[in-house]
Amino acid sequence: MQYEKEELIGAVKELIDLMKESGLDYLKVKNDSFEAELGSKPKNPPPAPAVAPMPLPIPVPQAQNVTVNAAANTADAPAQAAAPAVDGKAITSPIVGTFYSAPAPGKPPFVKIGDAVNEGDVVCIIESMKVMNEIQAEFSGIVEKIEVADGEAVEFGQPLIILK
């Protein structure tokens, strides 16, 4: 059976109108010796069983036994001296998500250490619930340190980039 395009479209629209008038919600058609199924979905489906949300574990700080001796203090001194103190303002994460330093894989990062940043400039992206959120600088400065690695999970309020 061959139909002209307009005839077929008209027939389908007429079928849709008939289904609406009859209260039918779906039409299932199968081929190879033809099979059709018309039906309607229940108007008030039974409620889904309530599932209680799974409680999240809450980290509990644990007490540590600390013994102080002169040898331990001198061993820690070079490690502390190697980590320079960071002075500046932190651009923090406004949401929980995944940190991305570039607009797409293979693209250059939004900012690098030493770059000048103006208030309102996009400095990174945080993906949260499959949405890419551009994070803008809240103030101007020079990028002194990037606190987070590309692809790393971040928390609300976590420092991302330090500006001088």
Side-chain angles (χ1 to χ4, degrees):
M1 244 187 217
Q2 292 244 330
Y3 292 100
E4 292 294 321
K5 184 177 178 181
E6 290 79 23
E7 288 178 351
L8 187 56
I9 291 173
V12 170
K13 287 182 179 179
E14 189 175 325
L15 180 60
I16 290 171
D17 291 338
L18 287 170
M19 288 179 65
K20 285 181 183 176
E21 289 173 11
S22 302
L24 297 174
D25 294 324
Y26 70 91
L27 166 67
K28 181 179 179 182
V29 178
K30 192 175 183 179
N31 215 341
D32 294 324
S33 74
F34 191 76
E35 181 179 317
E37 180 181 333
L38 297 169
S40 61
K41 297 175 186 168
K43 298 298 178 200
N44 294 322
V51 177
M54 188 174 209
L56 296 174
I58 299 172
V60 178
Q62 297 179 355
Q64 296 179 353
N65 293 334
V66 178
T67 56
V68 178
N69 62 34
N73 286 342
T74 56
D76 287 345
Q80 289 175 351
V86 177
D87 292 331
K89 294 183 180 179
I91 297 173
T92 59
S93 177
I95 55 177
V96 174
T98 304
F99 174 88
Y100 294 108
S101 61
K107 298 281 183 176
F110 289 105
V111 295
K112 299 180 296 294
I113 294 176
D115 285 355
V117 174
N118 293 316
E119 182 178 341
D121 287 352
V122 175
V123 294
C124 65
I125 291 176
I126 296 182
E127 177 186 7
S128 180
M129 297 180 66
K130 305 286 184 197
V131 176
M132 298 298 185
N133 301 281
E134 290 184 340
I135 307 304
Q136 298 177 345
E138 300 149 2
F139 39 83
S140 300
I142 306 292
V143 177
E144 183 174 340
K145 186 173 182 185
I146 299 174
E147 295 280 337
V148 185
D150 198 44
E152 188 175 320
V154 295
E155 297 293 325
F156 174 78
Q158 178 178 348
L160 304 173
I161 298 171
I162 307 296
L163 298 182
K164 234 198 288 194

